Amino acid sequence: MSNFTAEEIGRILMVKHTIKKNLEEFLLTIQKLGKNCENQVFVSGGCTASLLQGESPKDYDVYFKSKSAADAVIELYTNDPAYTNEVAVYEEKYRDVQIGQMVITENAVTLKNQLQLIRLHYGTPEGIRKTFDFIHCLPYYDPQDDRFYISRVQYDCCVNKTLKVNNYSYLTTWREERFKKRGYKYE
């Protein structure tokens, strides 16, 4: 963290605390699965940029380090009656599959507490993040080691609303336009 000022470190720690707080109940719930699933998740995506900008994130993208953890947790939230009521309901245009009151898309299951369980990609944080389109989406929190990972470039992109491409293969016009509408600009 030597690349950061004391004020920036404070902001980063606030982001870590907020993400960690939003994960607490979820981690306790999936711990009940007894498959070490609570150590098989990390949070990444646009929530860091939103938090650093003083905004409420639309959601917190929860990624899984293994397919077995993803399958077990998603099975819990989509099939166990004690937990299916935790799945959010969104507008029809965002819904790919609806089972009762659950929102299930090809990519994710979204919970009422704003956690979005990503089911399309799973693996190491380094591997998953290679599929991200923009640099400002790369910071991540790993509850297994209780560490928040962010570089100077990622931080600057987040706070300055700078669009810097991470992987052109995954860049889509609709995502680019969505960020531009929120004030993001290319350097």
Side-chain angles (χ1 to χ4, degrees):
M1 287 252 192
S2 61
N3 293 335
F4 297 100
T5 67
E7 180 182 335
E8 291 168 337
I9 291 170
R11 291 175 77 187
I12 291 167
L13 290 174
M14 179 275 305
V15 169
K16 176 187 173 188
H17 173 77
T18 302
I19 293 171
K20 184 177 178 177
K21 192 85 175 133
N22 279 288
L23 274 181
E24 282 178 351
E25 188 176 326
F26 171 74
L27 292 175
L28 288 173
T29 297
I30 65 174
Q31 195 173 40
K32 296 173 187 173
L33 292 170
K35 299 178 181 182
N36 202 29
C37 291
E38 70 278 7
N39 291 321
Q40 294 295 310
V41 300
F42 65 96
V43 175
S44 196
C47 65
T48 295
S50 295
L51 290 167
L52 284 172
Q53 295 162 20
E55 300 170 357
S56 293
K58 177 181 68 100
D59 53 40
Y60 295 84
D61 294 341
V62 177
Y63 290 87
F64 297 92
K65 297 177 185 176
S66 70
K67 182 176 181 348
S68 61
D71 290 346
V73 173
I74 289 169
E75 171 79 15
L76 175 74
Y77 282 98
T78 57
N79 291 319
D80 187 326
Y83 297 99
T84 55
N85 67 332
E86 297 301 317
V87 178
V89 177
Y90 283 124
E91 298 174 40
E92 190 64 39
K93 67 182 179 180
Y94 297 117
R95 193 177 298 146
D96 289 340
V97 176
Q98 181 179 0
I99 302 172
Q101 295 295 305
M102 293 183 283
V103 175
I104 303 170
T105 70
E106 180 182 324
N107 296 336
V109 173
T110 304
L111 305 181
K112 290 177 182 175
N113 63 3
Q114 295 179 296
L115 296 182
Q116 187 166 308
L117 310 179
I118 308 298
R119 60 197 259 154
L120 186 61
H121 303 287
Y122 49 86
T124 65
E126 296 75 23
I128 295 289
R129 292 165 51 246
K130 287 179 184 176
T131 68
F132 288 8
D133 48 8
F134 293 110
I135 298 288
H136 72 272
C137 297
L138 293 177
Y140 73 97
Y141 170 70
D142 190 336
Q144 184 176 12
D145 61 8
D146 190 30
R147 292 187 67 187
F148 185 75
Y149 298 85
I150 188 168
S151 71
R152 175 85 246 175
V153 171
Q154 293 164 6
Y155 179 88
D156 289 342
C157 286
C158 288
V159 298
N160 297 320
K161 291 191 171 188
T162 302
L163 285 178
K164 195 177 263 190
V165 177
N166 177 57
N167 187 330
Y168 283 97
S169 302
Y170 292 90
L171 186 61
T172 60
T173 303
W174 73 267
R175 290 238 329 146
E176 185 178 42
E177 290 304 315
R178 186 178 87 179
F179 286 119
K180 284 180 177 178
K181 285 180 183 174
R182 291 178 50 205
Y184 282 80
K185 294 181 176 131
Y186 284 102
E187 284 186 308

PDB file of all heavy atoms in Angstrom, residues 133-136 157 160-166 171 175-181 183-187:
ATOM      1  N   ASP A 133     -13.755  -6.742 -18.765  1.00  0.00           N
ATOM      2  CA  ASP A 133     -13.540  -5.785 -19.838  1.00  0.00           C
ATOM      3  C   ASP A 133     -12.723  -4.566 -19.412  1.00  0.00           C
ATOM      4  O   ASP A 133     -11.820  -4.138 -20.110  1.00  0.00           O
ATOM      5  CB  ASP A 133     -14.864  -5.356 -20.477  1.00  0.00           C
ATOM      6  CG  ASP A 133     -15.939  -4.956 -19.478  1.00  0.00           C
ATOM      7  OD1 ASP A 133     -15.655  -4.844 -18.265  1.00  0.00           O
ATOM      8  OD2 ASP A 133     -17.088  -4.754 -19.906  1.00  0.00           O
ATOM      9  N   PHE A 134     -13.019  -3.991 -18.236  1.00  0.00           N
ATOM     10  CA  PHE A 134     -12.382  -2.740 -17.836  1.00  0.00           C
ATOM     11  C   PHE A 134     -11.560  -2.882 -16.555  1.00  0.00           C
ATOM     12  O   PHE A 134     -11.908  -3.653 -15.654  1.00  0.00           O
ATOM     13  CB  PHE A 134     -13.430  -1.641 -17.644  1.00  0.00           C
ATOM     14  CG  PHE A 134     -14.109  -1.233 -18.920  1.00  0.00           C
ATOM     15  CD1 PHE A 134     -15.435  -1.551 -19.144  1.00  0.00           C
ATOM     16  CD2 PHE A 134     -13.414  -0.533 -19.899  1.00  0.00           C
ATOM     17  CE1 PHE A 134     -16.066  -1.184 -20.323  1.00  0.00           C
ATOM     18  CE2 PHE A 134     -14.025  -0.158 -21.085  1.00  0.00           C
ATOM     19  CZ  PHE A 134     -15.360  -0.485 -21.295  1.00  0.00           C
ATOM     20  N   ILE A 135     -10.504  -2.080 -16.470  1.00  0.00           N
ATOM     21  CA  ILE A 135      -9.575  -2.080 -15.334  1.00  0.00           C
ATOM     22  C   ILE A 135     -10.277  -1.732 -14.019  1.00  0.00           C
ATOM     23  O   ILE A 135      -9.957  -2.302 -12.974  1.00  0.00           O
ATOM     24  CB  ILE A 135      -8.414  -1.081 -15.586  1.00  0.00           C
ATOM     25  CG1 ILE A 135      -7.606  -1.481 -16.816  1.00  0.00           C
ATOM     26  CG2 ILE A 135      -7.535  -0.909 -14.353  1.00  0.00           C
ATOM     27  CD1 ILE A 135      -6.744  -2.690 -16.673  1.00  0.00           C
ATOM     28  N   HIS A 136     -11.245  -0.810 -14.046  1.00  0.00           N
ATOM     29  CA  HIS A 136     -11.882  -0.388 -12.791  1.00  0.00           C
ATOM     30  C   HIS A 136     -12.706  -1.511 -12.153  1.00  0.00           C
ATOM     31  O   HIS A 136     -13.121  -1.386 -11.006  1.00  0.00           O
ATOM     32  CB  HIS A 136     -12.731   0.874 -12.993  1.00  0.00           C
ATOM     33  CG  HIS A 136     -13.988   0.665 -13.761  1.00  0.00           C
ATOM     34  ND1 HIS A 136     -14.037   0.740 -15.140  1.00  0.00           N
ATOM     35  CD2 HIS A 136     -15.242   0.389 -13.351  1.00  0.00           C
ATOM     36  CE1 HIS A 136     -15.266   0.516 -15.549  1.00  0.00           C
ATOM     37  NE2 HIS A 136     -16.013   0.304 -14.468  1.00  0.00           N
ATOM     38  N   CYS A 157      -8.417   4.509 -11.908  1.00  0.00           N
ATOM     39  CA  CYS A 157      -9.536   4.312 -12.844  1.00  0.00           C
ATOM     40  C   CYS A 157     -10.873   4.390 -12.107  1.00  0.00           C
ATOM     41  O   CYS A 157     -11.844   4.960 -12.623  1.00  0.00           O
ATOM     42  CB  CYS A 157      -9.406   2.985 -13.584  1.00  0.00           C
ATOM     43  SG  CYS A 157      -8.126   2.978 -14.857  1.00  0.00           S
ATOM     44  N   ASN A 160     -11.439   8.199 -10.750  1.00  0.00           N
ATOM     45  CA  ASN A 160     -11.498   9.196 -11.822  1.00  0.00           C
ATOM     46  C   ASN A 160     -12.486   8.837 -12.921  1.00  0.00           C
ATOM     47  O   ASN A 160     -12.581   9.566 -13.912  1.00  0.00           O
ATOM     48  CB  ASN A 160     -10.107   9.397 -12.430  1.00  0.00           C
ATOM     49  CG  ASN A 160      -9.120   9.937 -11.418  1.00  0.00           C
ATOM     50  OD1 ASN A 160      -9.454  10.795 -10.612  1.00  0.00           O
ATOM     51  ND2 ASN A 160      -7.908   9.417 -11.449  1.00  0.00           N
ATOM     52  N   LYS A 161     -13.197   7.725 -12.752  1.00  0.00           N
ATOM     53  CA  LYS A 161     -14.152   7.244 -13.760  1.00  0.00           C
ATOM     54  C   LYS A 161     -13.492   7.155 -15.138  1.00  0.00           C
ATOM     55  O   LYS A 161     -14.014   7.637 -16.135  1.00  0.00           O
ATOM     56  CB  LYS A 161     -15.399   8.124 -13.804  1.00  0.00           C
ATOM     57  CG  LYS A 161     -16.264   8.013 -12.565  1.00  0.00           C
ATOM     58  CD  LYS A 161     -17.595   8.693 -12.764  1.00  0.00           C
ATOM     59  CE  LYS A 161     -18.518   8.380 -11.605  1.00  0.00           C
ATOM     60  NZ  LYS A 161     -19.881   8.849 -11.839  1.00  0.00           N
ATOM     61  N   THR A 162     -12.325   6.505 -15.125  1.00  0.00           N
ATOM     62  CA  THR A 162     -11.562   6.333 -16.357  1.00  0.00           C
ATOM     63  C   THR A 162     -11.830   4.954 -16.947  1.00  0.00           C
ATOM     64  O   THR A 162     -11.709   3.944 -16.246  1.00  0.00           O
ATOM     65  CB  THR A 162     -10.051   6.475 -16.076  1.00  0.00           C
ATOM     66  OG1 THR A 162      -9.818   7.759 -15.504  1.00  0.00           O
ATOM     67  CG2 THR A 162      -9.234   6.309 -17.336  1.00  0.00           C
ATOM     68  N   LEU A 163     -12.174   4.930 -18.215  1.00  0.00           N
ATOM     69  CA  LEU A 163     -12.329   3.667 -18.936  1.00  0.00           C
ATOM     70  C   LEU A 163     -10.977   3.281 -19.521  1.00  0.00           C
ATOM     71  O   LEU A 163     -10.420   3.995 -20.350  1.00  0.00           O
ATOM     72  CB  LEU A 163     -13.358   3.791 -20.054  1.00  0.00           C
ATOM     73  CG  LEU A 163     -14.820   3.831 -19.642  1.00  0.00           C
ATOM     74  CD1 LEU A 163     -15.708   4.011 -20.866  1.00  0.00           C
ATOM     75  CD2 LEU A 163     -15.217   2.579 -18.887  1.00  0.00           C
ATOM     76  N   LYS A 164     -10.460   2.188 -19.039  1.00  0.00           N
ATOM     77  CA  LYS A 164      -9.220   1.629 -19.560  1.00  0.00           C
ATOM     78  C   LYS A 164      -9.506   0.147 -19.771  1.00  0.00           C
ATOM     79  O   LYS A 164      -9.920  -0.549 -18.838  1.00  0.00           O
ATOM     80  CB  LYS A 164      -8.085   1.847 -18.558  1.00  0.00           C
ATOM     81  CG  LYS A 164      -6.703   1.640 -19.128  1.00  0.00           C
ATOM     82  CD  LYS A 164      -5.644   1.945 -18.094  1.00  0.00           C
ATOM     83  CE  LYS A 164      -5.159   3.363 -18.303  1.00  0.00           C
ATOM     84  NZ  LYS A 164      -3.965   3.660 -17.495  1.00  0.00           N
ATOM     85  N   VAL A 165      -9.301  -0.319 -20.980  1.00  0.00           N
ATOM     86  CA  VAL A 165      -9.674  -1.695 -21.326  1.00  0.00           C
ATOM     87  C   VAL A 165      -8.681  -2.686 -20.726  1.00  0.00           C
ATOM     88  O   VAL A 165      -7.468  -2.511 -20.824  1.00  0.00           O
ATOM     89  CB  VAL A 165      -9.769  -1.870 -22.860  1.00  0.00           C
ATOM     90  CG1 VAL A 165     -10.073  -3.319 -23.224  1.00  0.00           C
ATOM     91  CG2 VAL A 165     -10.840  -0.944 -23.430  1.00  0.00           C
ATOM     92  N   ASN A 166      -9.229  -3.723 -20.132  1.00  0.00           N
ATOM     93  CA  ASN A 166      -8.451  -4.826 -19.581  1.00  0.00           C
ATOM     94  C   ASN A 166      -8.333  -5.945 -20.618  1.00  0.00           C
ATOM     95  O   ASN A 166      -7.274  -6.510 -20.799  1.00  0.00           O
ATOM     96  CB  ASN A 166      -9.125  -5.355 -18.305  1.00  0.00           C
ATOM     97  CG  ASN A 166      -8.407  -6.544 -17.715  1.00  0.00           C
ATOM     98  OD1 ASN A 166      -7.233  -6.469 -17.403  1.00  0.00           O
ATOM     99  ND2 ASN A 166      -9.106  -7.658 -17.571  1.00  0.00           N
ATOM    100  N   LEU A 171     -15.002  -6.895 -24.376  1.00  0.00           N
ATOM    101  CA  LEU A 171     -15.579  -5.560 -24.441  1.00  0.00           C
ATOM    102  C   LEU A 171     -16.851  -5.569 -25.288  1.00  0.00           C
ATOM    103  O   LEU A 171     -16.864  -6.104 -26.389  1.00  0.00           O
ATOM    104  CB  LEU A 171     -14.562  -4.590 -25.046  1.00  0.00           C
ATOM    105  CG  LEU A 171     -14.934  -3.114 -25.069  1.00  0.00           C
ATOM    106  CD1 LEU A 171     -15.147  -2.592 -23.665  1.00  0.00           C
ATOM    107  CD2 LEU A 171     -13.837  -2.325 -25.761  1.00  0.00           C
ATOM    108  N   ARG A 175     -21.943  -2.349 -22.546  1.00  0.00           N
ATOM    109  CA  ARG A 175     -21.268  -2.060 -21.268  1.00  0.00           C
ATOM    110  C   ARG A 175     -20.514  -0.736 -21.367  1.00  0.00           C
ATOM    111  O   ARG A 175     -20.545   0.071 -20.440  1.00  0.00           O
ATOM    112  CB  ARG A 175     -20.294  -3.185 -20.897  1.00  0.00           C
ATOM    113  CG  ARG A 175     -20.979  -4.445 -20.524  1.00  0.00           C
ATOM    114  CD  ARG A 175     -20.714  -5.021 -19.194  1.00  0.00           C
ATOM    115  NE  ARG A 175     -19.448  -4.842 -18.569  1.00  0.00           N
ATOM    116  CZ  ARG A 175     -19.303  -4.716 -17.250  1.00  0.00           C
ATOM    117  NH1 ARG A 175     -20.360  -4.725 -16.469  1.00  0.00           N
ATOM    118  NH2 ARG A 175     -18.120  -4.573 -16.718  1.00  0.00           N
ATOM    119  N   GLU A 176     -19.863  -0.518 -22.463  1.00  0.00           N
ATOM    120  CA  GLU A 176     -19.141   0.728 -22.670  1.00  0.00           C
ATOM    121  C   GLU A 176     -20.098   1.917 -22.575  1.00  0.00           C
ATOM    122  O   GLU A 176     -19.825   2.893 -21.868  1.00  0.00           O
ATOM    123  CB  GLU A 176     -18.476   0.685 -24.048  1.00  0.00           C
ATOM    124  CG  GLU A 176     -17.605   1.858 -24.355  1.00  0.00           C
ATOM    125  CD  GLU A 176     -16.958   1.707 -25.722  1.00  0.00           C
ATOM    126  OE1 GLU A 176     -17.635   1.286 -26.680  1.00  0.00           O
ATOM    127  OE2 GLU A 176     -15.775   2.029 -25.818  1.00  0.00           O
ATOM    128  N   GLU A 177     -21.239   1.827 -23.227  1.00  0.00           N
ATOM    129  CA  GLU A 177     -22.242   2.899 -23.196  1.00  0.00           C
ATOM    130  C   GLU A 177     -22.814   3.087 -21.796  1.00  0.00           C
ATOM    131  O   GLU A 177     -23.058   4.215 -21.363  1.00  0.00           O
ATOM    132  CB  GLU A 177     -23.361   2.630 -24.202  1.00  0.00           C
ATOM    133  CG  GLU A 177     -22.913   2.760 -25.649  1.00  0.00           C
ATOM    134  CD  GLU A 177     -22.290   4.111 -25.958  1.00  0.00           C
ATOM    135  OE1 GLU A 177     -22.854   5.157 -25.545  1.00  0.00           O
ATOM    136  OE2 GLU A 177     -21.220   4.135 -26.589  1.00  0.00           O
ATOM    137  N   ARG A 178     -23.025   1.993 -21.089  1.00  0.00           N
ATOM    138  CA  ARG A 178     -23.546   2.077 -19.715  1.00  0.00           C
ATOM    139  C   ARG A 178     -22.598   2.876 -18.830  1.00  0.00           C
ATOM    140  O   ARG A 178     -23.022   3.734 -18.056  1.00  0.00           O
ATOM    141  CB  ARG A 178     -23.760   0.673 -19.155  1.00  0.00           C
ATOM    142  CG  ARG A 178     -24.441   0.686 -17.791  1.00  0.00           C
ATOM    143  CD  ARG A 178     -24.690  -0.693 -17.296  1.00  0.00           C
ATOM    144  NE  ARG A 178     -23.483  -1.119 -16.600  1.00  0.00           N
ATOM    145  CZ  ARG A 178     -23.343  -2.283 -16.002  1.00  0.00           C
ATOM    146  NH1 ARG A 178     -24.300  -3.177 -16.058  1.00  0.00           N
ATOM    147  NH2 ARG A 178     -22.239  -2.597 -15.388  1.00  0.00           N
ATOM    148  N   PHE A 179     -21.310   2.612 -18.953  1.00  0.00           N
ATOM    149  CA  PHE A 179     -20.342   3.353 -18.137  1.00  0.00           C
ATOM    150  C   PHE A 179     -20.225   4.804 -18.585  1.00  0.00           C
ATOM    151  O   PHE A 179     -20.081   5.706 -17.758  1.00  0.00           O
ATOM    152  CB  PHE A 179     -18.974   2.666 -18.146  1.00  0.00           C
ATOM    153  CG  PHE A 179     -18.947   1.409 -17.318  1.00  0.00           C
ATOM    154  CD1 PHE A 179     -18.665   0.186 -17.895  1.00  0.00           C
ATOM    155  CD2 PHE A 179     -19.211   1.453 -15.962  1.00  0.00           C
ATOM    156  CE1 PHE A 179     -18.649  -0.971 -17.128  1.00  0.00           C
ATOM    157  CE2 PHE A 179     -19.195   0.307 -15.179  1.00  0.00           C
ATOM    158  CZ  PHE A 179     -18.905  -0.916 -15.772  1.00  0.00           C
ATOM    159  N   LYS A 180     -20.295   5.054 -19.870  1.00  0.00           N
ATOM    160  CA  LYS A 180     -20.233   6.433 -20.359  1.00  0.00           C
ATOM    161  C   LYS A 180     -21.417   7.246 -19.825  1.00  0.00           C
ATOM    162  O   LYS A 180     -21.260   8.409 -19.464  1.00  0.00           O
ATOM    163  CB  LYS A 180     -20.208   6.462 -21.888  1.00  0.00           C
ATOM    164  CG  LYS A 180     -18.860   6.074 -22.471  1.00  0.00           C
ATOM    165  CD  LYS A 180     -18.900   6.124 -23.981  1.00  0.00           C
ATOM    166  CE  LYS A 180     -17.561   5.824 -24.582  1.00  0.00           C
ATOM    167  NZ  LYS A 180     -17.605   5.820 -26.065  1.00  0.00           N
ATOM    168  N   LYS A 181     -22.588   6.632 -19.754  1.00  0.00           N
ATOM    169  CA  LYS A 181     -23.771   7.326 -19.198  1.00  0.00           C
ATOM    170  C   LYS A 181     -23.575   7.661 -17.726  1.00  0.00           C
ATOM    171  O   LYS A 181     -24.188   8.591 -17.208  1.00  0.00           O
ATOM    172  CB  LYS A 181     -25.024   6.477 -19.381  1.00  0.00           C
ATOM    173  CG  LYS A 181     -25.534   6.461 -20.789  1.00  0.00           C
ATOM    174  CD  LYS A 181     -26.774   5.610 -20.920  1.00  0.00           C
ATOM    175  CE  LYS A 181     -27.214   5.552 -22.366  1.00  0.00           C
ATOM    176  NZ  LYS A 181     -28.335   4.632 -22.564  1.00  0.00           N
ATOM    177  N   GLY A 183     -20.740   8.680 -16.563  1.00  0.00           N
ATOM    178  CA  GLY A 183     -19.672   9.669 -16.466  1.00  0.00           C
ATOM    179  C   GLY A 183     -18.272   9.147 -16.709  1.00  0.00           C
ATOM    180  O   GLY A 183     -17.299   9.892 -16.567  1.00  0.00           O
ATOM    181  N   TYR A 184     -18.127   7.901 -17.083  1.00  0.00           N
ATOM    182  CA  TYR A 184     -16.798   7.355 -17.372  1.00  0.00           C
ATOM    183  C   TYR A 184     -16.333   7.848 -18.736  1.00  0.00           C
ATOM    184  O   TYR A 184     -17.134   8.032 -19.650  1.00  0.00           O
ATOM    185  CB  TYR A 184     -16.834   5.821 -17.372  1.00  0.00           C
ATOM    186  CG  TYR A 184     -16.851   5.208 -16.008  1.00  0.00           C
ATOM    187  CD1 TYR A 184     -18.027   5.122 -15.277  1.00  0.00           C
ATOM    188  CD2 TYR A 184     -15.685   4.701 -15.437  1.00  0.00           C
ATOM    189  CE1 TYR A 184     -18.051   4.557 -14.007  1.00  0.00           C
ATOM    190  CE2 TYR A 184     -15.703   4.130 -14.176  1.00  0.00           C
ATOM    191  CZ  TYR A 184     -16.871   4.064 -13.471  1.00  0.00           C
ATOM    192  OH  TYR A 184     -16.895   3.499 -12.223  1.00  0.00           O
ATOM    193  N   LYS A 185     -14.991   8.028 -18.844  1.00  0.00           N
ATOM    194  CA  LYS A 185     -14.402   8.490 -20.102  1.00  0.00           C
ATOM    195  C   LYS A 185     -13.096   7.762 -20.332  1.00  0.00           C
ATOM    196  O   LYS A 185     -12.399   7.399 -19.377  1.00  0.00           O
ATOM    197  CB  LYS A 185     -14.131   9.999 -20.044  1.00  0.00           C
ATOM    198  CG  LYS A 185     -15.374  10.828 -19.956  1.00  0.00           C
ATOM    199  CD  LYS A 185     -15.044  12.301 -19.936  1.00  0.00           C
ATOM    200  CE  LYS A 185     -16.347  13.067 -19.951  1.00  0.00           C
ATOM    201  NZ  LYS A 185     -16.512  14.061 -19.026  1.00  0.00           N
ATOM    202  N   TYR A 186     -12.754   7.604 -21.600  1.00  0.00           N
ATOM    203  CA  TYR A 186     -11.438   7.066 -21.950  1.00  0.00           C
ATOM    204  C   TYR A 186     -10.389   8.135 -21.715  1.00  0.00           C
ATOM    205  O   TYR A 186     -10.652   9.324 -21.872  1.00  0.00           O
ATOM    206  CB  TYR A 186     -11.396   6.618 -23.412  1.00  0.00           C
ATOM    207  CG  TYR A 186     -12.116   5.308 -23.635  1.00  0.00           C
ATOM    208  CD1 TYR A 186     -13.383   5.273 -24.179  1.00  0.00           C
ATOM    209  CD2 TYR A 186     -11.506   4.094 -23.297  1.00  0.00           C
ATOM    210  CE1 TYR A 186     -14.051   4.081 -24.386  1.00  0.00           C
ATOM    211  CE2 TYR A 186     -12.171   2.900 -23.502  1.00  0.00           C
ATOM    212  CZ  TYR A 186     -13.435   2.891 -24.052  1.00  0.00           C
ATOM    213  OH  TYR A 186     -14.069   1.693 -24.240  1.00  0.00           O
ATOM    214  N   GLU A 187      -9.193   7.732 -21.350  1.00  0.00           N
ATOM    215  CA  GLU A 187      -8.080   8.680 -21.143  1.00  0.00           C
ATOM    216  C   GLU A 187      -7.699   9.327 -22.466  1.00  0.00           C
ATOM    217  O   GLU A 187      -7.715   8.763 -23.503  1.00  0.00           O
ATOM    218  CB  GLU A 187      -6.849   7.965 -20.590  1.00  0.00           C
ATOM    219  CG  GLU A 187      -6.977   7.632 -19.145  1.00  0.00           C
ATOM    220  CD  GLU A 187      -5.672   7.061 -18.593  1.00  0.00           C
ATOM    221  OE1 GLU A 187      -5.125   6.125 -19.163  1.00  0.00           O
ATOM    222  OE2 GLU A 187      -5.242   7.599 -17.571  1.00  0.00           O
TER     223      GLU A 187
END
